[in-house]
Amino acid sequence: MTPALTYSDDQATAYDGVAEMLRSAGIDLSDNLLMPPSSGADQVMAITGKAGSGKTLLLAELYKALEAAGVNIVSGDYESRKKGDKRTLAILAPTNKAASVLRLRGVPATTIHRILYTPVYDPEYERIAEWLAGTGERPVDVEGLTEIALDRAAAFYAGNKSIPGALAAAGLRGSDFITGWKRREEPLDIGFVDESSMLDDKQFEDLKEIFPTLLLFGDPAQLAPVNQSGTMVFEKLPEKRVMNLNRIFRQDAGNPILDLAHALADPDLGFEQFERMVEEASKKDDRIVWGQRVEVDLMARSPVLVWRNATRIRLINAFRNVHGAPEDALLAGEPLICDGIELPLKHRKKRLDLEARGLIKGAQVIFLGDGRKPGFSRLHVMGAEDPQVSAASIVKIEKPDEEEPFIPFAARMGATFLHGAAVTIHKAQGSQWETVQVFAPDLYAAARMGRMEAGQALWKRLAYVAITRAQERLVWVVRNRLSKPSGPLQVDDLRATPAAPLTLDAPEAEDFL
């Protein structure tokens, strides 16, 4: 079957290669023919390419083709026990934010962690889930739910294939119908993994245990995981199992952000020359901003991207200072980054619940206020499908020139958080924001050190990753100054509607370094 879109030669070759892999696994896309899974050798393939090369487009088209062929999509929010011999596909990303980027493009993605664990539903509400999923009859006499509520659930599910979302539309909360979480015991079928440059070897091995057919999508120009010695998992595959997309599609639309990102591939390009390119681009296109200061209003939703940890800590403290945040408490609206879960083994069920709700290492969170119990916080998990969470929290505020972080308040155990007004470029991988601020003095420091990674100047890899986090606008900050806020921190937008667009209007600036 010829794909519906007109692909470039390298995209067409990649599509055909994946189709051949699927055919050997019992799925023929040309005839929409599905066979039971074979017991043959496991298969792993990778599609690589730089930003704008069409990886996500190809992922979306392959998903549509598999769904049209009758393959069931596994979302991680509910799985029917009445599976039969149906073939399945799960589309995964390493973080909530990366998964949400795909969902905004119509691709039903979930996190890798969420697919490792499955929810246990209360039997009363599992009947509704089976009905919505098409494997059961419409339930009658469900306690607390009217026929109108069931209709609302069905209408929601028709437009958005989320069982928890549909049950929420009927007026239920997650705690009403999910009684716990369990480690996946049986393997799945086909897995697509986006942002696979972020995978470490252990995650890769876990995925291969679950998916006999695995397709990775990744950008070889990004930064490898810290513990991977500069290599990415797809770089260890046989050459014939890796297909690279070379043509850059989004440049055809005149995207100045991607123009700058791809200019970094020039081996003769120096840092000063690149900065001149950024400055010239800012004069021609308002999507590039030559920033004389860090704009504090943007930091509550989109962290400043830095290289040095010391810069990150100073920016965070400057953010809190200009907002008048007390040392012994958080203000509603302050951004946090989840640093993991600190719970003993006997609380394994609670750990799984928190992680399944999106509180995994690296998750971006907005503090909404204190919880009902001491040490608990009400949180909004950015990019999560069910973002409102209340959790026992341990918040650590790192201070300049101090070895130990300051803890404004803490439960004895629970989810741990660092402040999220600034993050390292390494931790920003997999995420995108409408506007991104890149702290250029840090990249200049990396350039002066002359460090290399995988044969390329480290500053270029850092700049590439940082620049490609920006969806609409890039602010290249060249001075150690921070604006004053245009108003107090806000959280009302998170409770009702998507975050309102932020502007660069701020009255004054002050030095923070």
Side-chain angles (χ1 to χ4, degrees), residues 166-187:
L167 294 176
L172 298 171
R173 297 172 301 172
S175 57
D176 292 330
F177 53 85
I178 295 178
T179 61
W181 302 84
K182 63 178 181 179
R183 176 85 184 196
R184 181 175 297 281
E185 298 172 354
E186 299 177 357

Side-chain angles (χ1 to χ4, degrees), residues 246-288:
N246 295 299
R247 181 181 168 190
I248 306 303
F249 285 89
R250 281 190 279 174
Q251 279 184 312
D252 294 345
N255 187 325
I257 297 171
L258 288 174
D259 288 341
L260 290 171
H262 293 296
L264 292 162
D266 182 353
D268 298 324
L269 183 72
F271 183 83
E272 292 82 359
Q273 183 184 359
F274 179 72
E275 279 217 315
R276 287 196 296 273
M277 292 176 64
V278 176
E279 188 172 15
E280 288 302 312
S282 71
K283 296 174 183 176
K284 301 173 184 176
D285 197 307
D286 60 9
R287 287 174 286 182
I288 307 295

